[in-house]
Amino acid sequence: SNLQSICKPIQAVAIQAICTTIAMAPSPSPHTQKFWDDAAPMIATTEKHPFLLSMVDGTLPDEKFKYYMLQDALYLEEFSDCLTRLSHAAANEEDATKLRYFANYAKEAELSLHGSFFDQWNTTTEGVTEMPNCLLYTSYMKRIVTTKSYGHGLATLLPCFWVYLHVGKRMLKMREELGDSVNRSPKFDTWIDMYSSDDIEEKVTTYRAMVEAACEAADEATRKEMQACFNMCCKLEHMFWDQALNLMKWPDLGDR
Protein backbone atom coordinates (compact mmCIF):
# COMPACT_ATOMS: atom_id res chain seq x y z
CA SER A 1 0.00 0.00 0.00
CA ASN A 2 0.97 3.68 -0.19
CA LEU A 3 1.29 3.77 3.61
CA GLN A 4 3.78 0.89 3.57
CA SER A 5 5.78 2.51 0.77
CA ILE A 6 6.05 5.69 2.87
CA CYS A 7 6.83 3.93 6.19
CA LYS A 8 9.57 1.61 4.98
CA PRO A 9 11.92 4.37 3.81
CA ILE A 10 11.26 6.28 7.04
CA GLN A 11 12.04 3.16 9.09
CA ALA A 12 15.22 2.58 7.09
CA VAL A 13 16.38 6.15 7.68
CA ALA A 14 15.57 5.89 11.41
CA ILE A 15 17.48 2.62 11.77
CA GLN A 16 20.44 4.09 9.89
CA ALA A 17 20.41 7.13 12.17
CA ILE A 18 20.36 4.92 15.29
CA CYS A 19 23.22 2.77 13.97
CA THR A 20 25.26 5.85 13.12
CA THR A 21 24.66 7.27 16.59
CA ILE A 22 25.77 4.00 18.20
CA ALA A 23 28.86 3.82 16.01
CA MET A 24 29.81 7.40 16.86
CA ALA A 25 29.01 7.12 20.57
CA PRO A 26 32.07 7.38 22.78
CA SER A 27 33.10 4.46 24.95
CA PRO A 28 31.25 4.54 28.29
CA SER A 29 34.65 4.02 29.94
CA PRO A 30 37.11 5.93 27.74
CA HIS A 31 39.80 6.46 30.39
CA THR A 32 40.04 2.87 31.56
CA GLN A 33 39.85 1.71 27.94
CA LYS A 34 42.86 3.93 27.29
CA PHE A 35 44.63 2.26 30.22
CA TRP A 36 43.95 -1.13 28.64
CA ASP A 37 44.94 -0.06 25.14
CA ASP A 38 48.23 1.37 26.40
CA ALA A 39 49.04 -1.89 28.22
CA ALA A 40 47.72 -4.10 25.40
CA PRO A 41 51.13 -5.39 24.20
CA MET A 42 51.96 -6.59 27.71
CA ILE A 43 48.53 -8.16 28.17
CA ALA A 44 48.79 -9.91 24.79
CA THR A 45 52.07 -11.45 25.96
CA THR A 46 50.61 -12.44 29.33
CA GLU A 47 47.61 -14.23 27.84
CA LYS A 48 50.10 -16.56 26.11
CA HIS A 49 52.17 -17.13 29.24
CA PRO A 50 53.50 -20.73 29.30
CA PHE A 51 52.16 -21.21 32.83
CA LEU A 52 48.61 -20.42 31.70
CA LEU A 53 48.85 -22.34 28.42
CA SER A 54 50.12 -25.43 30.24
CA MET A 55 47.14 -25.22 32.59
CA VAL A 56 44.84 -25.42 29.59
CA ASP A 57 46.67 -28.25 27.84
CA GLY A 58 47.07 -30.15 31.11
CA THR A 59 50.87 -30.26 31.14
CA LEU A 60 51.51 -27.93 34.11
CA PRO A 61 53.17 -29.92 36.92
CA ASP A 62 51.08 -30.03 40.09
CA GLU A 63 54.11 -28.78 42.05
CA LYS A 64 54.10 -25.50 40.10
CA PHE A 65 50.35 -25.00 40.48
CA LYS A 66 50.62 -25.65 44.23
CA TYR A 67 53.46 -23.11 44.49
CA TYR A 68 51.36 -20.59 42.56
CA MET A 69 48.25 -21.08 44.70
CA LEU A 70 50.20 -20.70 47.95
CA GLN A 71 51.81 -17.48 46.72
CA ASP A 72 48.48 -16.23 45.40
CA ALA A 73 46.84 -16.82 48.77
CA LEU A 74 49.50 -14.60 50.38
CA TYR A 75 48.97 -12.02 47.64
CA LEU A 76 45.18 -12.01 48.13
CA GLU A 77 45.57 -11.24 51.83
CA GLU A 78 47.49 -8.08 50.90
CA PHE A 79 45.14 -7.28 48.01
CA SER A 80 42.18 -7.49 50.38
CA ASP A 81 43.96 -5.21 52.84
CA CYS A 82 44.58 -2.65 50.08
CA LEU A 83 40.89 -2.67 49.14
CA THR A 84 39.94 -2.12 52.78
CA ARG A 85 42.38 0.79 53.01
CA LEU A 86 40.87 2.33 49.86
CA SER A 87 37.38 2.00 51.32
CA HIS A 88 38.41 4.49 54.04
CA ALA A 89 39.34 7.02 51.34
CA ALA A 90 36.26 6.53 49.14
CA ALA A 91 34.39 9.65 48.05
CA ASN A 92 31.01 8.29 49.15
CA GLU A 93 29.51 5.51 51.23
CA GLU A 94 28.29 3.60 48.17
CA ASP A 95 31.85 3.20 46.86
CA ALA A 96 33.16 2.45 50.33
CA THR A 97 30.61 -0.36 50.62
CA LYS A 98 31.63 -1.78 47.24
CA LEU A 99 35.31 -1.74 48.21
CA ARG A 100 34.59 -3.48 51.52
CA TYR A 101 32.60 -6.07 49.59
CA PHE A 102 35.49 -6.65 47.17
CA ALA A 103 37.92 -6.93 50.10
CA ASN A 104 35.70 -9.54 51.72
CA TYR A 105 35.26 -11.38 48.40
CA ALA A 106 39.04 -11.66 47.96
CA LYS A 107 39.42 -13.08 51.47
CA GLU A 108 36.36 -15.32 51.46
CA ALA A 109 35.30 -16.46 47.97
CA GLU A 110 38.68 -16.45 46.23
CA LEU A 111 40.57 -17.85 49.20
CA SER A 112 37.91 -20.55 49.63
CA LEU A 113 38.96 -21.79 46.18
CA HIS A 114 42.56 -21.87 47.36
CA GLY A 115 41.54 -23.54 50.60
CA SER A 116 39.74 -26.32 48.73
CA PHE A 117 42.97 -27.07 46.87
CA PHE A 118 45.05 -26.84 50.05
CA ASP A 119 42.78 -29.47 51.61
CA GLN A 120 43.52 -31.79 48.69
CA TRP A 121 47.25 -31.14 49.10
CA ASN A 122 47.00 -31.37 52.89
CA THR A 123 48.82 -28.06 53.23
CA THR A 124 48.30 -24.48 54.45
CA THR A 125 50.07 -21.15 54.04
CA GLU A 126 51.49 -21.45 57.56
CA GLY A 127 55.23 -20.90 57.38
CA VAL A 128 55.08 -19.93 53.69
CA THR A 129 56.79 -16.64 52.83
CA GLU A 130 56.24 -14.33 49.89
CA MET A 131 58.74 -15.08 47.16
CA PRO A 132 60.52 -12.19 45.35
CA ASN A 133 57.97 -11.31 42.67
CA CYS A 134 55.05 -11.73 45.03
CA LEU A 135 56.67 -9.42 47.58
CA LEU A 136 57.54 -6.96 44.82
CA TYR A 137 53.90 -6.86 43.71
CA THR A 138 52.33 -6.59 47.17
CA SER A 139 54.87 -4.00 48.32
CA TYR A 140 54.23 -1.87 45.23
CA MET A 141 50.45 -2.09 45.72
CA LYS A 142 50.65 -1.14 49.36
CA ARG A 143 53.04 1.75 48.70
CA ILE A 144 50.74 3.30 46.11
CA VAL A 145 47.58 2.75 48.16
CA THR A 146 49.12 4.26 51.31
CA THR A 147 51.14 7.14 49.86
CA LYS A 148 49.30 8.23 46.71
CA SER A 149 45.76 9.41 45.96
CA TYR A 150 42.59 7.35 46.04
CA GLY A 151 42.56 7.31 42.22
CA HIS A 152 46.14 6.03 42.07
CA GLY A 153 45.17 3.23 44.43
CA LEU A 154 42.12 2.24 42.41
CA ALA A 155 44.15 2.13 39.18
CA THR A 156 46.83 0.02 40.84
CA LEU A 157 44.37 -2.71 41.86
CA LEU A 158 42.48 -2.77 38.54
CA PRO A 159 44.81 -5.21 36.68
CA CYS A 160 44.23 -7.93 39.29
CA PHE A 161 40.52 -7.77 38.46
CA TRP A 162 40.68 -7.17 34.73
CA VAL A 163 43.70 -9.21 33.62
CA TYR A 164 42.43 -12.29 35.45
CA LEU A 165 39.05 -12.02 33.74
CA HIS A 166 40.76 -11.55 30.38
CA VAL A 167 43.08 -14.54 30.68
CA GLY A 168 40.29 -16.61 32.21
CA LYS A 169 38.09 -16.03 29.17
CA ARG A 170 40.97 -16.73 26.78
CA MET A 171 41.74 -19.96 28.61
CA LEU A 172 38.07 -20.95 28.52
CA LYS A 173 38.04 -20.46 24.75
CA MET A 174 41.20 -22.54 24.34
CA ARG A 175 39.73 -25.24 26.55
CA GLU A 176 36.60 -25.39 24.41
CA GLU A 177 38.73 -25.64 21.26
CA LEU A 178 40.75 -28.52 22.73
CA GLY A 179 37.61 -30.37 23.81
CA ASP A 180 38.30 -33.84 25.19
CA SER A 181 41.66 -34.17 23.46
CA VAL A 182 43.68 -33.49 26.64
CA ASN A 183 43.75 -34.87 30.17
CA ARG A 184 43.56 -31.86 32.49
CA SER A 185 43.59 -31.63 36.27
CA PRO A 186 40.12 -30.83 37.67
CA LYS A 187 41.86 -28.10 39.69
CA PHE A 188 42.78 -26.29 36.49
CA ASP A 189 39.21 -26.50 35.23
CA THR A 190 37.86 -25.15 38.50
CA TRP A 191 40.29 -22.22 38.31
CA ILE A 192 39.36 -21.46 34.69
CA ASP A 193 35.65 -21.69 35.50
CA MET A 194 35.99 -19.19 38.33
CA TYR A 195 38.01 -16.53 36.54
CA SER A 196 36.04 -16.71 33.29
CA SER A 197 32.68 -16.51 35.08
CA ASP A 198 29.91 -13.95 34.66
CA ASP A 199 30.27 -13.24 38.38
CA ILE A 200 33.87 -12.10 37.94
CA GLU A 201 32.91 -10.10 34.86
CA GLU A 202 30.24 -8.23 36.85
CA LYS A 203 32.81 -7.39 39.52
CA VAL A 204 35.27 -6.14 36.92
CA THR A 205 32.57 -3.94 35.37
CA THR A 206 31.63 -2.48 38.76
CA TYR A 207 35.22 -1.85 39.83
CA ARG A 208 36.17 -0.44 36.44
CA ALA A 209 33.31 2.10 36.73
CA MET A 210 34.79 3.27 40.01
CA VAL A 211 38.20 3.75 38.39
CA GLU A 212 36.53 5.57 35.51
CA ALA A 213 34.83 7.98 37.92
CA ALA A 214 38.16 8.65 39.63
CA CYS A 215 39.70 9.39 36.22
CA GLU A 216 36.91 11.84 35.43
CA ALA A 217 37.60 13.68 38.68
CA ALA A 218 41.37 13.79 38.09
CA ASP A 219 43.46 16.12 35.98
CA GLU A 220 45.46 14.91 32.98
CA ALA A 221 48.73 14.67 34.90
CA THR A 222 47.13 12.46 37.53
CA ARG A 223 45.53 10.25 34.88
CA LYS A 224 48.96 9.69 33.33
CA GLU A 225 50.29 8.64 36.73
CA MET A 226 47.29 6.32 37.17
CA GLN A 227 48.10 4.83 33.76
CA ALA A 228 51.67 4.19 34.92
CA CYS A 229 50.35 2.41 38.03
CA PHE A 230 48.05 0.27 35.89
CA ASN A 231 50.89 -0.60 33.51
CA MET A 232 53.24 -1.54 36.32
CA CYS A 233 50.70 -3.94 37.80
CA CYS A 234 50.03 -5.50 34.40
CA LYS A 235 53.77 -6.18 34.26
CA LEU A 236 53.75 -7.55 37.80
CA GLU A 237 50.87 -9.90 36.92
CA HIS A 238 53.05 -11.42 34.21
CA MET A 239 55.99 -11.67 36.59
CA PHE A 240 53.83 -13.42 39.17
CA TRP A 241 53.23 -16.27 36.71
CA ASP A 242 56.94 -16.20 35.76
CA GLN A 243 57.74 -16.77 39.41
CA ALA A 244 55.48 -19.82 39.62
CA LEU A 245 56.68 -21.30 36.34
CA ASN A 246 60.27 -21.11 37.53
CA LEU A 247 59.54 -22.00 41.19
CA MET A 248 61.45 -18.87 42.14
CA LYS A 249 63.17 -18.90 45.52
CA TRP A 250 65.12 -16.39 47.55
CA PRO A 251 68.89 -16.80 47.14
CA ASP A 252 70.63 -18.83 49.82
CA LEU A 253 72.93 -16.32 51.48
CA GLY A 254 73.55 -18.33 54.59
CA ASP A 255 70.68 -16.68 56.43
CA ARG A 256 67.91 -18.49 58.28
Side-chain angles (χ1 to χ4, degrees), residues 12-57:
V13 170
I15 291 169
Q16 180 63 43
I18 291 168
C19 291
T20 301
T21 300
I22 292 170
M24 294 175 65
S27 165
S29 305
H31 298 298
T32 51
Q33 186 60 51
K34 184 176 182 298
F35 285 3
W36 186 268
D37 292 344
D38 194 68
M42 279 190 287
I43 296 164
T45 300
T46 297
E47 72 186 41
K48 296 188 286 287
H49 197 291
F51 184 93
L52 301 175
L53 296 181
S54 59
M55 280 180 67
V56 181
D57 67 21

Side-chain angles (χ1 to χ4, degrees), residues 31-32 34-36 38-39 42 86 140 144 148-159 162 207-234:
H31 298 298
T32 51
K34 184 176 182 298
F35 285 3
W36 186 268
D38 194 68
M42 279 190 287
L86 282 180
Y140 178 79
I144 298 299
K148 295 288 189 177
S149 75
Y150 173 67
H152 287 84
L154 287 176
T156 297
L157 304 188
L158 180 56
W162 204 352
Y207 188 84
R208 185 180 166 190
M210 295 172 67
V211 182
E212 191 67 30
C215 287
E216 286 289 341
D219 58 29
E220 185 60 30
T222 301
R223 283 195 290 269
K224 286 182 178 178
E225 291 175 1
M226 290 168 68
Q227 172 82 69
C229 292
F230 180 85
N231 287 5
M232 177 58 74
C233 288
C234 286

Side-chain angles (χ1 to χ4, degrees), residues 124-137:
T124 69
T125 57
E126 186 176 351
V128 178
T129 59
E130 291 181 62
M131 288 298 151
N133 288 358
C134 180
L135 183 60
L136 178 62
Y137 197 170

